[in-house]
C-alpha cells in the first residue's frame, strides 16, 4: 500500500519498531515535525493523518501505509492560521510551533465550516489545542492568532511584516534546530549512566567498542567508546554519565551502550537534605579539592562560603545585622503580634525545554572542530571548547541557528558536548548526541528546592523594623543558592540579616533557571509581607507602598491601585465551593550586562549583513538586532540580513541573566552609527539621522561594498555598579534594580483542591522596551512558567535511590493553554536613562514574583496560606478540611 | 518485529495463538511502552482492519454494543452515547489530549499498561516485571491508590473503566481456551494479582463492551461542575 505525504507518494517504513515521527523525520527528511516528549503529551510531533491531528510519536510507522499525511511543510506557509501565528507572535523559540499550527489549521478549517467566520472563545481554543504544550508560554499570542484566523482576518497576506524576524521560518518548520542536523555519515552517540547514587567505579568494560583511533576497515563501523568519569572515578548520583558510545545507527549505539559492563563499588549515599545534615552522615566532598571541583548552579560566579560536612554556608549579608537580630529575638520573647516568622518550602522545577540538549560534533578531519549545539552561549562555548581540547579559538566553530528553549540549562558545557566531541574524534565521523526526554528531565539541571525562614518585624508605626532570612538550597551534588541574599535587595535599608546555605546530597545537580534563586525568595518574602499586612489590618498594596523604597516599583503600585482586578476585588470572608481571590507580589532582579558584546555590520552585495556570535533562544535577539540597526541606520528592516548563532562572528552575549538585549542592543546601535558615518563620507546624500531615502541608501551601499564596521557595548563607571559575580566571564552588574509587580486573580475549587488562575496583570519596570510585542510575549510566558511553578511542577525522586520519577511529561506536568490566566502586561519605561539604549533585561524579573502572587491570591480566597510549593490539590484539601 | 493486519477476527485469533504476537489497536500506549523499554519488541497483530470489532450498535431494548475499536473521540462525540451514557461520554472527552483521543480506542484504554512511574521507569523492578515487591509502596506514591486493596499501589489508569463499571457494562472477550465469553468490565481486572494489568490471556481479544439500556431519567450521579474549571480535565488520562 502506498503512503501519501503532503500530496505526493512517499516510501513506507522498513525500519522495525519505528514510529511515524521517526519515519517522517529521518527517512523522509521532513524535520518540521519535532519530537519533544515522546509520550504524546506535548503535541510537537503532530501531523494530520487523513486530515485528523495525530501525534506521530505514538503512531507506529507500519500503520502509515494507505493513509494520507500532512506535515507542517505541507501547509505551505500561507494557511491563514500560519499567517496569524506570525502576526500575533504566537511563538517564541519555535520548537513547538509546527505542531501547534498543524492542529490549529485543522481546527480553524473545521470551525469556519461549522460556524462561519466567527471568533471561538478562549475556552474553545484551549480545548481544541489541549494536546499542545509551549514551554516558552506564548499562549496569549496563540489564543489571539487562532481566533483571528477563524474570523477570517488572515485570508490574505497582511500588509505588515510579522513582529518577529524569524517567524516565517518557524511557522513553516523550516527553522533548523540542532536536533534536526544530521550531516552525511553522522553517527549517533548515547550515554552509559550510573545506576547507583554513590559509588566508586572499579572498572569499565567497553565490551568490544573501540577506545582508540583504530585502523583499517574496523575504524569505519565498530562502535566507539569514551570514558567520561573524573579523576576520582566516583559517581555521585543516579543518572550521572559514566561513558558514552557511538555507532552508525542509534539502535546499534544503544545496544553497544547496554553491553558496557560497569563494576560499581557502592558507597554510602545521602538522598535528602535531612539525611545529609544528620550527625555521622556520609560526606559527599570530604576534601578541599573535591569541594572545589564540585558543581555550582549559580548564575555567574558563586558567593564564597565555608563548608561543614554536607552544608555549605552561610554566605551572610547584613545591614545592622546585630540590631536586626536583637529586635527579632526580643519580639519573639514578647510574643509580639507584629512579628511574622514562618518557614516556606519550594519544590525543584525542571527547565523542560522542548528541544533537548543536543550536540553534533564533527572532528573527522584535523582542521576545524565543527559543532552544532543547542546552547545559550555560542561564543562562550566556542571559547570553552577550544580551551578544553587545546585548540586555537578559530579552530572551533559552533553553530546554533535556533534553540528550542533553554531557560538557563543550556548555558554551560554539558555532557552532550563533551561526549560528541570525544566520540567524533574516535569515530572519524560526525557524531550526534541528543538526550532522550528521560535524560533531559534527569540530568540537565533544575531550579533547586529551597527551605526558607523569613522573619519580619513591624514597629509601632507599622514600619519594617527588622528582617531576617535564612535559606537552605537543595541542589543535589551542586550548590550556589542565593535566595536569602536576593531578599536583602527588597524593602529598603531596615536592619536585616540574610544567610544562604546549601545542603549537598546524592542527587543530580541543579542549574541556573530563569531568575536563579529569586522565585523561591519571592514566594517566602512576599507572603510574609502579605501576612504582615493582615496582622496590621492594612491593604497589602498600601503596606508595600510604604515599605518599598524602589521608585520604579512605586510607579507600578500607582498603576495597580487603578486596576479593576485589584480595586474591585472581593473583600471579606468568602464561602461556597468556588472562591475567588486576588494576590499581589513585588519582585526584583539585577541589571546584568555583557560588556564585551560586539556587533559587526558588513556591506555585502549591496546589502547590510548584521553579525554577532550571539543566539536567539526564543527571546528575540535576532529581531532586536534587525530593528535597532534599521532604526539607527535609517534603512528598512527588510533590507537587512541578520546572521547570528555562529561563533566565527564577533563575540556576542550569552543568553542568561536578562543581559542579551541590553548588551547587544547598544552594540548594534554603535555599529549602525559607525556605518552611517562611514556611508556619509562616501555619499553625502545620506542624512545624519532619520530614514535614508531609498535611492540614497542604495547608492551609498553600492559605493561601500565590502565595508565592515564593529560596534561594542562599553560600560562606563556610572553604569557599572559592581564586579561582584563577574569572575572572568563576560558578566557585570549594572546600577539600578529591575522591578516588577504581579497581580493575580484565582478561583479556588475548595472541593477538589484546584486553583485556576483567571486573570493576571504583570507590571514590569525594565526601562525602555526595545521590541514591545516580543517583550510582551516573554513576560506573558513568564506568567505561564510561574503558574506551573506555583501549582503543578515538582521534580520527584525515589527516596531509596534518587532516581527521577518525573522523567516524562506525563508525570512532570507543565501548564497548557487551559491552565493560564488572561494576562495583561504593562511596561513602565522610565528609570534606566543612565543605560545606553535606556532599557535593561526583563526575562528574569518577569518570572520572579508570579508564584508568590498565586500564593497570595490563594490565601486571599481561602484564608489559608500556602507554605509549600507547588500548591497541590491534596495540600489545599488537607488545609481546608 | 513484523506486523500483520488481518481483516477478520478468526485469522487474528489464530495468529495470536500461533505466533505469540501482541494485539494492537490504536497503538498509542504500545508505542510509548516500546519506546521507553517497558515492553520488549515483539511481532504485532494489528486489529484495526477487523470490522467485527468496530462500530456502535443499538439493540431493540435500548442497550448498546460498543466495538473495542471505537476511538475515545467517538465515545465522546457520538450523539446516542452522549444521550444515553453521559458519564461515559464526558469521561472520554476529558481523557488524554484531542490527538490521542482520536487514535486511542476503547479496547486499548481498558487494557492499557499501568501508568505507575515505577513500572514505566526501567531502573525499577516490580511485580509486573519479575520483581518481588512494589517499589512504589515503599517509595514515592503521591499518585498511588487511596484504598489499599492489593500488593500493587498504583491505581488503574483507565478512567473509561470507572464510567463503564458505574453503568454495569459487560465486556465481550473472544479467543482463548475457553472460547468467547462475557464478563462485567470490573472483572477484566484482578486486584489480587499484581503481576498483570488485566485478566485476558495472550491469545484473547476484547471485542466489545455492552451497556445496558439506561434507566429512565437517572444515570450515575455526577460530581464536579459541568464544564467546570480546572486543568486536569484537559490533561492526560
Amino acid at each position: 500500500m502506498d503512503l501519501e505525504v503532503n500530496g505526493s507518494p512517499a516510501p513506507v517504513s522498513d525500519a522495525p519498531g519505528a514510529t511515524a515521527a521517526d519515519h517522517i523525520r529521518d527517512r523522509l527528511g521532513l524535520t518540521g515535525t519535532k519530537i519533544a516528549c515522546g509520550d504524546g503529551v506535548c503535541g510537537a510531533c503532530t501531523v494530520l493523518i487523513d486530515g485528523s491531528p495525530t501525534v506521530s510519536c505514538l503512531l507506529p510507522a507500519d500503520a502509515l501505509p494507505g493513509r494520507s499525511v500532512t506535515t507542517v511543510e505541507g501547509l505551505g506557509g500561507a494557511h491563514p492560521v500560519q499567517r496569524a501565528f506570525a502576526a500575533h507572535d504566537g511563538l517564541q523559540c519555535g520548537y513547538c510551533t509546527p505542531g501547534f499550527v498543524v492542529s490549529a489549521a485543522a481546527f480553524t478549517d473545521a470551525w469556519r465550516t461549522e460556524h462561519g467566520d466567527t471568533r471561538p472563545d478562549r475556552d474553545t481554543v484551549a480545548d481544541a489545542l489541549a494536546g499542545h504544550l509551549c514551554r516558552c508560554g506564548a499562549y496569549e499570542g496563540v489564543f489571539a492568532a487562532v481566533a483571528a484566523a477563524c474570523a477570517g482576518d488572515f485570508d490574505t497576506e497582511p500588509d505588515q511584516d510579522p513582529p518577529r524576524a524569524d517567524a516565517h521560518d518557524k511557522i513553516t518548520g523550516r527553522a533548523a534546530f540542532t536536533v534536526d542536523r544530521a550531516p552525511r555519515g553522522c553517527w549517533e552517540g548515547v550515554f552509559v549512566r550510573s545506576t547507583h547514587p554513590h559509588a566508586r567505579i572499579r572498572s569499565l568494560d567497553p565490551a568490544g567498542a573501540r577506545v582508540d583511533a583504530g585502523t583499517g576497515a574496523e575504524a569505519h563501523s565498530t562502535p566507539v567508546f569514551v570514558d567520561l568519569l573524573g579523576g576520582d572515578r566516583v559517581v555521585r548520583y543516579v543518572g550521572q554519565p559514566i561513558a558514552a558510545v557511538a555507532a552508525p545507527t542509534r539502535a546499534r549505539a544503544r545496544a553497544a551502550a547496554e553491553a558496557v559492563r560497569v563494576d560499581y563499588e557502592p558507597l554510602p549515599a545521602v538522598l535528602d537534605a535531612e539525611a545529609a545534615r544528620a550527625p555521622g552522615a556520609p560526606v559527599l566532598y570530604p576534601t578541599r579539592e573535591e569541594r572545589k571541583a564540585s558543581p555550582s548552579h549559580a548564575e555567574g560566579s558563586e558567593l564564597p562560603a565555608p563548608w561543614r560536612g554536607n552544608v555549605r554556608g552561610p554566605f551572610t549579608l547584613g545591614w545592622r545585622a546585630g540590631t536586626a537580630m536583637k529586635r527579632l529575638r526580643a519580639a519573639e520573647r514578647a510574643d509580639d503580634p507584629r512579628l511574622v516568622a514562618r518557614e516556606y518550602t519550594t519544590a525543584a522545577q525542571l527547565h523542560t525545554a522542548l528541544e533537548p540538549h543536543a550536540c553534533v560534533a564533527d572532528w573527522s578531519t584535523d582542521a576545524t572542530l565543527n559543532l552544532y549545539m543547542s546552547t545559550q552561549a555560542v561564543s562562550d562555548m566556542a571559547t570553552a571548547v577550544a580551551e578544553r581540547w587545546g585548540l586555537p579559538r578559530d579552530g572551533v566553530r559552533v553553530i546554533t541557528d535556533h534553540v528550542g528553549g533553554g531557560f538557563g540549562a543550556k548555558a554551560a558545557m554539558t555532557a552532550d558536548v563533551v561526549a560528541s566531541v570525544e566520540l567524533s574524534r574516535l569515530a572519524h565521523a560526525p557524531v550526534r548526541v541528543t538526550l532522550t526526554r528521560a535524560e533531559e528531565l534527569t540530568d540537565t539541571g533544575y531550579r533547586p528546592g529551597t527551605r526558607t525562614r523569613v522573619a519580619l518585624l513591624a514597629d509601632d508605626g507599622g514600619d519594617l523594623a527588622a528582617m531576617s532570612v535564612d535559606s537552605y538550597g537543595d541542589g543535589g551534588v551542586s550548590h550556589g543558592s542565593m535566595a536569602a541574599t536576593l531578599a536583602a535587595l527588597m524593602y529598603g535599608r531596615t536592619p536585616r540579616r540574610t544567610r544562604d546555605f546549601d545542603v549537598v546530597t546524592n542527587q543530580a545537580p541543579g542549574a541556573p533557571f530563569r531568575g536563579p534563586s529569586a522565585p523561591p525568595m519571592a514566594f517566602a518574602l512576599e507572603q510574609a509581607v502579605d501576612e504582615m499586612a493582615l496582622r496590621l489590618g492594612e491593604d497589602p498594596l498600601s503596606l508595600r507602598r510604604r515599605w518599598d523604597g524602589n521608585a520604579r516599583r512605586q510607579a507600578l503600585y500607582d498603576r495597580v491601585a487603578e486596576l479593576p482586578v485589584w480595586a474591585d476585588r472581593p473583600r471579606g470572608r468568602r464561602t461556597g465551593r468556588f472562591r475567588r481571590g486576588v494576590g499581589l507580589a513585588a519582585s526584583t532582579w539585577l541589571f546584568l550586562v555583557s560588556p564585551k558584546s560586539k556587533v559587526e555590520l558588513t556591506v555585502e552585495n549591496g546589502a547590510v549583513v548584521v553579525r554577532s556570535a550571539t543566539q536567539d533562544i526564543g527571546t528575540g535577539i535576532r529581531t532586536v538586532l534587525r530593528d535597532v540597526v534599521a532604526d539607527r541606520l535609517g534603512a528598512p528592516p527588510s533590507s537587512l540580513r541578520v546572521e547570528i548563532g555562529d561563533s566565527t562572528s564577533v563575540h556576542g552575549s550569552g543568553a542568561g541573566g536578562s543581559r542579551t538585549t541590553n548588551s547587544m542592543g547598544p552594540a548594534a546601535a554603535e555599529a549602525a552609527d559607525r556605518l552611517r558615518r562611514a556611508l556619509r563620507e562616501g555619499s553625502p546624500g545620506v542624512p545624519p539621522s532619520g530614514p535614508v531615502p531609498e535611492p540614497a541608501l542604495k547608492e551609498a551601499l553600492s559605493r561601500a561594498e565590502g565595508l565592515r564596521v564593529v560596534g561594542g557595548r562599553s560600560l562606563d563607571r556610572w553604569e557599572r555598579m559592581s564586579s561582584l559575580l563577574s569572575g572572568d566571564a563576560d558578566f557585570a552588574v549594572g546600577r539600578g534594580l529591575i522591578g516588577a509587580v504581579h497581580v493575580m486573580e484565582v478561583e479556588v475549587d475548595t472541593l477538589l483542591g484546584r486553583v485556576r488562575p483567571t486573570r493576571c496583570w504583570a507590571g514590569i519596570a525594565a526601562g525602555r522596551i526595545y521590541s514591545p510585542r516580543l517583550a510582551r510575549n516573554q513576560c506573558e510566558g513568564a506568567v505561564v512558567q510561574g503558574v506551573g511553578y506555583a501549582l503543578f511542577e515538582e521534580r520527584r525522586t525515589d527516596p531509596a535511590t534518587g532516581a527521577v520519577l518525573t522523567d516524562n511529561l506525563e508525570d512532570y506536568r507543565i501548564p497548557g493553554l487551559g491552565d493560564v490566566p488572561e494576562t495583561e502586561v504593562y511596561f513602565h519605561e522610565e528609570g534606566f536613562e543612565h543605560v545606553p539604549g535606556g532599557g535593561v533585561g526583563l526575562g528574569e524579573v518577569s518570572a520572579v514574583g508570579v508564584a508568590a502572587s498565586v500564593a497570595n491570591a490563594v490565601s486571599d480566597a481561602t484564608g489559608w496560606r500556602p507554605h509549600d510549593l507547588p500548591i497541590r490539590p491534596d495540600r489545599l484539601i488537607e488545609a481546608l478540611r | 518485529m513484523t506486523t500483520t493486519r488481518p481483516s477478520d477476527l478468526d485469522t487474528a485469533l489464530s495468529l495470536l495463538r500461533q505466533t505469540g504476537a501482541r494485539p494492537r489497536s490504536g497503538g498509542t500506549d504500545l508505542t510509548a511502552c516500546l519506546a521507553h523499554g517497558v515492553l520488549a519488541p515483539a511481532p504485532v497483530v494489528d486489529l484495526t482492519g477487523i470490522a467485527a470489532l468496530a462500530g456502535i450498535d443499538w439493540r431493540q431494548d435500548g442497550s448498546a454494543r460498543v466495538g473495542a475499536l471505537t476511538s475515545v473521540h467517538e465515545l465522546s462525540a457520538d450523539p446516542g452515547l452522549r444521550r444515553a451514557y453521559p458519564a461515559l461520554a464526558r469521561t472520554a472527552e476529558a481523557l488524554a489530549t484531542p490527538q490521542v483521543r482520536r487514535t486511542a480506542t476503547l479496547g486499548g484504554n481498558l487494557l492499557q499498561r499501568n501508568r505507575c512511574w515505577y513500572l514505566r521507569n526501567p531502573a525499577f523492578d516490580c511485580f509486573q516485571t519479575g520483581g518481588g515487591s512494589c517499589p512504589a509502596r515503599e517509595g514515592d506514591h503521591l499518585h498511588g491508590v487511596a484504598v489499599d486493596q492489593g500488593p500493587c499501589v498504583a491505581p488503574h489508569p483507565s478512567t473509561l473503566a470507572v464510567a463503564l463499571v458505574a453503568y454495569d457494562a459487560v465486556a465481550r472477550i473472544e479467543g482463548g481456551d475457553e472460547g468467547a465469553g462475557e464478563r462485567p468490565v470490573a472483572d477484566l481486572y484482578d486486584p489480587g494479582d499484581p503481576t498483570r494489568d488485566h485478566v485476558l490471556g495472550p491469545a484473547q481479544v476484547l471485542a466489545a463492551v455492552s451497556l445496558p439500556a439506561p434507566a429512565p431519567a437517572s444515570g450515575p450521579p455526577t460530581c464536579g461542575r459541568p464544564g467546570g474549571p480546572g486543568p486536569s480535565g484537559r490533561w492526560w488520562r
Side-chain angles (χ1 to χ4, degrees), chain A residues 249-298:
Chain A
T249 66
R250 193 164 171 84
R252 284 191 61 196
R254 270 197 202 141
E258 269 164 33
V260 170
R261 288 289 147 254
V262 184
D263 183 10
Y264 296 94
E265 176 196 338
L267 301 172
V270 283
L271 290 160
D272 62 64
E274 205 181 322
R277 296 178 67 181
V283 177
L284 251 72
Y285 303 118
T287 67
R288 198 191 167 96
E289 287 68 36
E290 285 166 297
R291 292 195 289 268
K292 225 177 137 185
S294 62
S296 161
H297 58 75

Side-chain angles (χ1 to χ4, degrees), chain A residues 386-408:
Chain A
E387 270 173 23
R388 182 177 177 123
W389 280 280
L391 297 166
R393 172 63 161 72
D394 59 7
V396 177
R397 184 176 188 187
V398 176
I399 292 182
T400 306
D401 275 352
H402 296 281
V403 184
F407 315 112

Side-chain angles (χ1 to χ4, degrees), chain A residues 372-397:
Chain A
Y372 293 109
M373 200 189 286
S374 187
T375 179
Q376 297 176 228
V378 166
S379 185
D380 298 341
M381 282 308 107
T383 305
V385 167
E387 270 173 23
R388 182 177 177 123
W389 280 280
L391 297 166
R393 172 63 161 72
D394 59 7
V396 177
R397 184 176 188 187

Side-chain angles (χ1 to χ4, degrees), chain A residues 62 127 754 796 798 810 819, chain B residues 3 115 140 231-232 234 236:
Chain A
D62 61 33
D127 282 344
R754 287 182 187 148
R796 295 186 72 98
D798 174 49
E810 193 176 323
D819 300 324
Chain B
T3 300
R115 310 198 85 84
D140 184 352
S232 64
R234 301 202 178 92
W236 198 248

Side-chain angles (χ1 to χ4, degrees), chain A residues 667-681:
Chain A
E670 189 178 278
D673 291 350
R674 285 191 176 151
L675 180 61
R676 191 167 186 137
R677 281 198 295 277
L679 292 180
R680 273 167 57 76
E681 282 171 21

Side-chain angles (χ1 to χ4, degrees), chain B residues 132-143:
Chain B
S133 67
C134 171
R137 180 174 288 278
E138 293 305 312
D140 184 352
H141 45 249
L142 177 68
H143 305 300

